[in-house]
Amino acid sequence: MLTTRFVQGAPNWVDVGTTDIEGAASFYRALFGWEFRSAGPEAGGYGFFQLDGKTAAAGMQTTPEQGPPAWNVYFQSRDADATAKAVEQAGGRVLVPPDDVMGQGRLAIFADHAGVSFGVWQPAALKGLEIVGDPGSLCWLELYTQDMAREAAFFDAVFGWETSAMPFPGGVYTCINPAGEGEDAMFGGLVALADVPPGTETEPYWLPYFEVGDTDAAVSKAQELGGKVRMAATDVESVGRMAKLEDPYGARFAVIKSAAPQEG
């Protein structure tokens, strides 16, 4: 499961780039209870979404030239410069070279072999998200890909990720965990685009999941606030009830009320 005990290769940050940060802040405040707090005038409009005083995500104003609104995911790196070299050696690209961020840590943005962007955060003063797994916070990630084997090999080379197969009704799901941490540390999954219903996912990308107390209520609220439903609320046995959504500005995300852990 996702925790704030961040280790090499584990998700430790998530932020949304949007053409209307004030509108997005209003949307997510009503949906998840987040309060937007500016990181200061020197941060260029970047700020933190806080839930009960703990940072659950972040956000920033972007321009159309920077790409469409989207959620961005970041992974722990003990050495961002070494990770940049590993990305290039594995066939990826460095989009934003490693750089210090106001003494808070070291940031870099990459693209994998398929062109899907992801970031790393090498912590200093800012360790990472302060709340995960609780309602209103990040709980899972999925990478939609055209080539499962190649993607797994890429991230194994970059982070040492380990994968495992989890059977579920209708097929097998490929889970990811950090190197040497075992299946208890699973934080996401790889999903083949060929295996999803036609028209639901058409391109490789990272999809963040946020825990909610009531999936159907979250879907209704998102629609009321101007968001769109990309996949209706669906039950997955032993996993939970989930739905895929899009905020009013086009950033894609998912919500889930996770199933209670099975005893034994």
Side-chain angles (χ1 to χ4, degrees):
M1 62 181 291
L2 189 59
T3 74
T4 55
R5 188 185 68 82
F6 302 121
V7 297
Q8 174 78 2
N12 65 351
W13 198 253
V14 62
D15 61 25
V16 64
T18 178
T19 52
D20 185 345
I21 189 60
E22 291 184 2
S26 177
F27 174 83
Y28 290 108
R29 179 171 55 249
L31 185 63
F32 293 140
W34 292 351
E35 294 294 335
F36 187 70
R37 299 284 183 265
S38 171
E42 70 279 8
Y46 198 87
F48 307 115
F49 290 116
Q50 295 195 318
L51 181 66
D52 298 328
K54 297 180 179 180
T55 300
M60 59 190 161
Q61 184 91 14
T62 55
T63 65
E65 292 74 28
Q66 292 173 283
W71 277 97
N72 311 294
V73 300
Y74 301 80
F75 302 94
Q76 176 103 345
S77 172
R78 65 176 68 95
D79 185 336
D81 295 273
T83 301
K85 292 178 182 178
V87 165
E88 291 182 313
Q89 291 171 352
R93 292 180 293 127
V94 176
L95 303 180
V96 178
D99 196 16
D100 291 323
V101 182
M102 299 184 294
Q104 299 298 303
R106 198 159 171 79
L107 171 78
I109 308 291
F110 309 118
D112 67 16
H113 64 87
V116 180
S117 65
F118 66 98
V120 296
W121 179 252
Q122 179 184 334
L126 179 63
K127 303 305 180 185
L129 299 176
E130 295 174 323
I131 182 171
V132 298
D134 292 342
S137 66
L138 183 71
C139 64
W140 193 254
L141 296 173
E142 279 183 339
L143 175 57
Y144 288 84
T145 175
Q146 294 170 329
D147 191 332
M148 297 266 288
R150 190 177 179 193
E151 205 70 72
F154 173 87
F155 282 106
D156 176 40
V158 172
F159 292 125
W161 284 356
E162 299 167 351
T163 59
S164 56
M166 177 183 293
F168 74 98
V172 174
Y173 187 83
T174 300
C175 295
I176 314 164
N177 61 267
E181 294 294 313
E183 294 184 6
D184 287 344
M186 291 187 303
F187 62 79
L190 302 176
V191 181
L193 286 168
D195 293 340
V196 301
T200 58
E201 304 293 355
T202 59
E203 60 188 20
Y205 80 113
W206 280 102
L207 178 69
Y209 278 71
F210 297 97
E211 187 73 29
V212 292
D214 184 325
T215 302
D216 296 273
V219 169
S220 296
K221 189 65 174 179
Q223 289 178 295
E224 176 188 321
L225 296 166
K228 297 179 182 178
V229 178
R230 300 180 55 250
M231 185 189 81
T234 303
D235 288 311
V236 178
E237 185 179 349
S238 301
V239 174
R241 185 165 177 79
M242 65 185 69
K244 295 180 183 178
L245 303 172
E246 184 178 296
D247 74 18
Y249 311 99
R252 296 174 289 184
F253 65 101
V255 294
I256 182 170
K257 178 176 173 55
S258 299
Q262 295 184 342
E263 296 295 332

